[in-house]
Amino acid sequence: MSGTDTTRQMLAGGPAIVLVEPQLGENIGMVARAMANFGLSQLRLVAPRDGWPNRKAKSAASGADHVIEAATVHPDLASAVADLRFVYATTARQRDMIKPVVGPAEAAARLRGLVEGGTACGVLFGRERWGLRNEEVALADALVTYPVNPRFASLNLAQAVLLIAYEWMKSAGDAAAAFQPPQVPQASRQDLIGLIEHLEAALDEADYFHPPEKRDKMALNLRNIFTHAALSEPEVRTLRGVIAALERRWAKGRRQG
Amino acid sequence: MSGTDTTRQMLAGGPAIVLVEPQLGENIGMVARAMANFGLSQLRLVAPRDGWPNRKAKSAASGADHVIEAATVHPDLASAVADLRFVYATTARQRDMIKPVVGPAEAAARLRGLVEGGTACGVLFGRERWGLRNEEVALADALVTYPVNPRFASLNLAQAVLLIAYEWMKSAGDAAAAFQPPQVPQASRQDLIGLIEHLEAALDEADYFHPPEKRDKMALNLRNIFTHAALSEPEVRTLRGVIAALERRWAKGRRQG
């Protein structure tokens, strides 16, 4: 889906996204892209398997260069989270730990409040195949889990990050749709009545309303169609043009017949 | 993130996910996985570039075999959506169309209400590089857009699907109350396409579309009027009767002239 516009504001900031021992460069790149899509920019890598920088990561990031270039690499999780004051760990499995467990939306709301209050925050994501070790989860203040299909719970790494980033963006409060529909006002009642009367006249000419005793009911049905259609003024004009065209055709047919 | 458990319930159902001319098998597979993660199971493919079945799709689905195996292939969008009664189109770009625009959460809540009321629904996703054509968007009742970073708005196909699927899952339980399905079901897309084609044929006869180079734009306007009008099945029949009456009148005029 395209839509990138370089004249617009690049959103950045938010909690750090911490990937623990990520394996594939492609996954790191897709994480960077997902972060950029929803305004996150701090990526921290704990002992990435294939080293750093990583050509495949850059390619998979599809232009999220600001995230890739600012990414930091750390030898272990402890050093990656050293400066953070509130940390979530994402997990799909039940953990035998007494920590709060929340969904992505609730986590994002909490992060939003903390980050805007000046608290450095982070979210931990485990290895592609088997997630986080218990001692890594133990470094987190709370857990985030996803409302997944119980029978198919295995989320791709970039998608797990995407959902946090998406909820982060939504938590801004003004996460209104990226664009609003064009503000074309609905047609006035007068225009609408004009359309309906035009159509009814054409249909009278065409002997549409029969038997005659059903005319009122049939006309009412038509009125309801055009009133619930929420037509704009240009649309009413278009429909009048349609009716006029069909009428002209009839007149022309008669002249030529 | 692991966590799949074969003893648990496999969630399925929900709106159909319709991919228009997807290019890479990997993307189709990742879409299937994202759907399975959040309980969607109906995948429809319109003219996939590399044919179907696709080995790479199956591999990228990471075990979402039930989605891949049930996927259906269609020669064009019209046949893919023929049986659907409510359709969203996802889009990142501003469209010059008067249709409601909502975010993924609002779309999911509406879909939840409709699907639980027995209405067949779908969500359209465009090609990886450039999305949906205007005439494809015109087949939808409403648009979904994402609250993306204005400067980095390009969402990966599987991630666009993921967000809809995730919101679909979240909408379980609390959404049904918010939206009541209409008392009279909306017309199927097939009926609606039939109406539009009938009208266009009548207008071609009537020389409505001129100059010829404006035909596409004029036809698109008409399509948009009838898709955003939320017509019921009886209403579509009524409008076809209206067009038929105006056509007959013309034929009669010619005979009598």
Side-chain angles (χ1 to χ4, degrees), chain A residues 37 149 166-167 170 205, chain B residues 36-37 149 166-167 170 249:
Chain A
N37 281 145
N149 188 347
Y166 166 73
E167 290 287 8
K170 277 176 76 183
E205 278 291 306
Chain B
N37 280 146
N149 188 348
Y166 165 72
E167 291 287 6
K170 276 178 73 185
R249 181 61 180 144

Side-chain angles (χ1 to χ4, degrees), chain B residues 6 8 19 23 29 44 46 61 71 77 100 114 119 122 133 140 149-150 176 199 203 206 229-230 234 241:
Chain B
T6 54
R8 299 191 185 182
L19 306 185
Q23 301 182 320
R44 301 183 182 192
V46 177
L77 180 56
L114 289 166
T119 300
R133 292 196 186 99
N149 188 348
L199 179 61
L203 290 172

Side-chain angles (χ1 to χ4, degrees), chain B residues 135-149:
Chain B
E135 63 267 30
E136 291 163 345
V137 173
L139 285 177
D141 297 277
L143 305 182
V144 183
T145 187
Y146 298 84
V148 284
N149 188 348

Side-chain angles (χ1 to χ4, degrees), chain A residues 6-91:
Chain A
T6 55
T7 64
R8 299 191 184 184
Q9 188 195 358
M10 177 67 87
L11 297 177
I17 297 297
V18 184
L19 306 185
V20 178
E21 295 182 3
Q23 301 183 319
L24 298 173
E26 288 88 337
N27 286 337
I28 301 172
M30 289 195 295
V31 163
R33 180 179 181 177
M35 290 172 62
N37 281 145
F38 294 105
L40 298 179
S41 54
Q42 259 197 85
L43 175 61
R44 301 183 180 190
L45 306 172
V46 177
R49 189 191 65 185
D50 297 337
W52 194 258
N54 181 313
R55 197 179 43 79
K56 286 182 181 169
K58 172 133 188 177
S59 160
S62 297
D65 297 342
H66 63 293
V67 177
I68 293 289
E69 281 156 20
T72 55
V73 179
H74 307 265
D76 51 43
L77 179 57
S79 61
V81 299
D83 62 318
L84 302 181
R85 288 165 193 274
F86 187 86
V87 174
Y88 275 115
T90 56
T91 171

Side-chain angles (χ1 to χ4, degrees), chain B residues 11-174:
Chain B
L11 296 177
I17 297 297
V18 183
L19 306 185
V20 178
E21 294 181 5
Q23 301 182 320
L24 298 174
E26 288 87 338
N27 285 336
I28 300 172
M30 289 195 296
V31 163
R33 179 179 181 177
M35 290 171 62
N37 280 146
F38 294 105
L40 298 180
S41 55
Q42 258 197 86
L43 176 60
R44 301 183 182 192
L45 307 172
V46 177
R49 189 191 63 184
D50 297 337
W52 195 259
N54 181 312
R55 197 178 43 78
K56 287 182 180 169
K58 172 133 187 177
S59 158
S62 297
D65 296 342
H66 64 294
V67 177
I68 292 289
E69 280 156 23
T72 55
V73 178
H74 308 264
D76 50 41
L77 180 56
S79 61
V81 299
D83 61 316
L84 302 179
R85 285 163 197 276
F86 188 86
V87 174
Y88 276 115
T90 57
T91 170
R93 272 175 296 144
Q94 178 82 40
R95 304 280 182 162
D96 195 19
M97 294 187 193
I98 305 162
K99 289 186 194 285
V101 181
V102 300
E106 199 179 335
R110 177 123 191 226
L111 289 168
R112 174 69 63 179
L114 289 166
V115 168
E116 291 188 351
T119 300
C121 295
V123 186
L124 313 185
F125 295 84
R127 299 146 190 90
E128 284 96 331
R129 298 231 166 258
W130 47 276
L132 293 166
R133 292 196 186 99
N134 279 341
E135 63 267 30
E136 291 163 345
V137 173
L139 285 177
D141 297 277
L143 305 182
V144 183
T145 187
Y146 298 84
V148 284
N149 188 348
R151 181 81 175 271
F152 198 80
S154 170
L155 272 185
N156 163 294
L157 178 59
Q159 300 199 323
V161 171
L162 180 79
L163 295 178
I164 295 293
Y166 165 72
E167 291 287 6
W168 164 258
M169 182 72 112
K170 276 178 73 185
S171 72
D174 56 5

